[in-house]
Amino acid sequence: MPSHEDHKDVAVDPGLDLFAAIDSLRREMNAVILAHYYQEDDIQDIADHVGDSLALAQAAAATEAEVIVFAGVHFMAETAKILNPDKLVLLPDLEAGCSLADGCPPREFARFLEAYPGHKVISYINCSAATKAMSDVICTSGNALKIVSSFPADQPLVFAPDRFLGSWVSRQLHRDLVLWPGSCEVHEVFSEKRLVELKALHPQAVVAAHPECPEGILQHADHVGSTAAILAFARKTPAKQIIVVTEPGILHQMRKENPDKELIPAPGADEACSCNECPYMKKNTLEKLYLCMRDRTPEITVDPGTAARALAPIERMLELSR
Ligand code: 13P
Ligand code: SF4
């Protein structure tokens, strides 16, 4: 059986109808395909569920399929595996990582926590299984306010690994949080100066931004929320122009849902680079999706001890999000 490494060199017959081939494998394998809003358009179109991190974790928890094909990044597939230790969980490209997860190495995080005895630990789902295993509860951008609010006001809290999401939550709830200093390399490069210029060019436009963006960006937003919340805002707003400050993969669903609205992606600081495309999310392609299903690899594995410890905080999040 070819390994995932081999996939780099495998050429798929250009005459193959990838949509039909993936669909037939899905039925043969009894697989469910979960895709994040930042995946390329074709992957979103063939998925059984397209969603934000919370909706995809909920779909993974609820599925009766034998195989979960996760078109997203590693921490998402890892969460699905922790929830389904007996199922085969596939990720089209094992190199689909995340700067937030990579920026919070478990050993350093354990040392960091030693300085905060008596604190409860809330970890954003964008982290490794080992970091989740050191947490009391997991959150996503869709439920972070609710999860933090579930703790009594006098309970000291550590929030990791996204300092921008953490400081947005802290401002919204007027609550101190000890923040791990991580960030998303995609959302931190939006340019406040260029956003202000864009707003001046489109004075009727509203701004929807993801809370992984720095405060300088969020202060110009009419709406701040997860990808699913940004989509809901775009559907509801009477405004005909929306400036979108998150990864541009979201525009695919937004265009389908709002054919009458003008969607304006916010620029990064550097005009010459498409730095707002998540390089990890974009590692997955329709071709790799097909190959991972055909060859049943690369498979996500999680050390059973770590998985057992990470399960409780994930389940606590799912319980609090019902
Ligand atoms: P959500 O889709 O949960 O808002 O997360 C965005 C993101 O950056 C995922 O990595
Ligand atoms: Fe990680 Fe940012 Fe990419 Fe999301 S957009 S997967 S947070 S690097």
Side-chain angles (χ1 to χ4, degrees):
M1 183 182 288
S3 74
H4 77 280
E5 289 300 326
D6 297 327
H7 282 168
K8 294 194 177 98
D9 307 318
V10 174
V12 174
D13 173 0
L16 183 70
D17 178 343
L18 284 172
F19 280 93
I22 290 170
D23 199 34
S24 112
L25 281 169
R26 163 167 45 201
R27 272 180 277 112
E28 273 167 37
M29 299 166 78
N30 185 14
V32 65
I33 303 175
L34 307 180
H36 189 267
Y37 291 125
Y38 298 162
Q39 292 293 284
E40 63 176 45
D41 299 359
D42 286 347
I43 293 181
Q44 293 190 41
D45 288 343
I46 198 147
D48 296 286
H49 301 279
V50 188
D52 67 358
S53 310
L54 177 61
L56 295 176
Q58 288 168 327
T63 189
E64 289 185 357
E66 284 168 51
V67 179
I68 299 173
V69 185
F70 216 119
V73 289
H74 192 273
F75 73 80
M76 297 178 172
E78 209 174 41
T79 303
K81 180 67 181 177
I82 293 165
L83 287 163
N84 297 278
D86 298 329
K87 289 185 178 167
L88 175 66
V89 178
L90 301 169
L91 180 67
D93 190 324
L94 267 192
E95 289 174 7
C98 170
S99 66
L100 274 166
D102 294 347
C104 187
R107 250 190 236 165
E108 287 173 34
F109 189 52
R111 269 202 298 276
F112 178 83
L113 292 181
E114 281 169 16
Y116 301 101
H119 286 58
K120 296 286 183 193
V121 180
I122 304 176
S123 293
Y124 189 33
I125 198 165
N126 299 39
C127 65
S128 66
T131 295
K132 287 184 176 75
M134 286 180 259
S135 310
D136 292 286
V137 62
I138 304 306
C139 75
T140 72
S141 52
N143 60 18
L145 295 173
K146 194 175 186 178
I147 300 284
V148 171
S149 304
S150 74
F151 288 92
D154 59 352
Q155 171 61 57
L157 298 170
V158 167
F159 188 98
D162 187 351
R163 71 181 194 274
F164 294 128
L165 173 63
S167 56
W168 175 73
V169 170
S170 173
R171 292 195 299 280
Q172 295 302 300
L173 299 178
H174 307 289
R175 186 162 182 167
D176 286 337
L177 299 171
V178 174
L179 303 177
W180 171 269
S183 59
C184 160
E185 69 180 50
V186 176
H187 287 88
E188 72 179 347
V189 297
F190 285 106
S191 155
E192 182 181 358
K193 179 174 171 286
R194 296 187 70 202
L195 176 60
V196 170
E197 287 165 4
L198 198 59
K199 280 183 72 156
L201 265 180
H202 304 279
Q204 307 299 327
V206 290
V207 177
H210 196 279
E212 287 175 11
C213 297
E215 184 179 0
I217 293 288
L218 298 182
Q219 66 178 335
H220 301 288
D222 299 282
H223 173 83
V224 176
S226 72
T227 49
I230 289 175
L231 282 164
F233 170 78
R235 287 192 297 272
K236 274 191 220 130
T237 180
K240 289 292 177 204
Q241 293 180 318
I242 307 168
I243 298 175
V244 183
V245 201
T246 190
E247 214 273 356
I250 197 175
L251 296 172
H252 182 53
Q253 298 298 325
M254 215 182 256
R255 280 191 195 106
K256 286 204 231 174
E257 295 173 356
N258 305 279
D260 58 329
K261 294 179 182 168
E262 187 187 355
L263 308 173
I264 308 161
D270 180 356
E271 220 167 325
C273 106
S274 52
C275 312
N276 300 123
E277 289 207 356
C278 175
Y280 310 105
M281 288 278 181
K282 270 29 185 201
K283 287 255 175 210
N284 296 328
T285 60
L286 197 62
E287 203 167 275
K288 288 186 203 167
L289 180 66
Y290 161 72
L291 289 171
C292 88
M293 293 175 78
R294 188 193 70 181
D295 301 335
R296 299 173 79 90
T297 190
E299 178 186 355
I300 296 293
T301 55
V302 185
D303 165 71
T306 307
R309 288 193 305 281
L311 181 61
I314 296 171
E315 284 186 329
R316 185 148 185 233
M317 171 188 81
L318 295 174
E319 192 56 44
L320 287 168
S321 309
R322 269 187 229 283

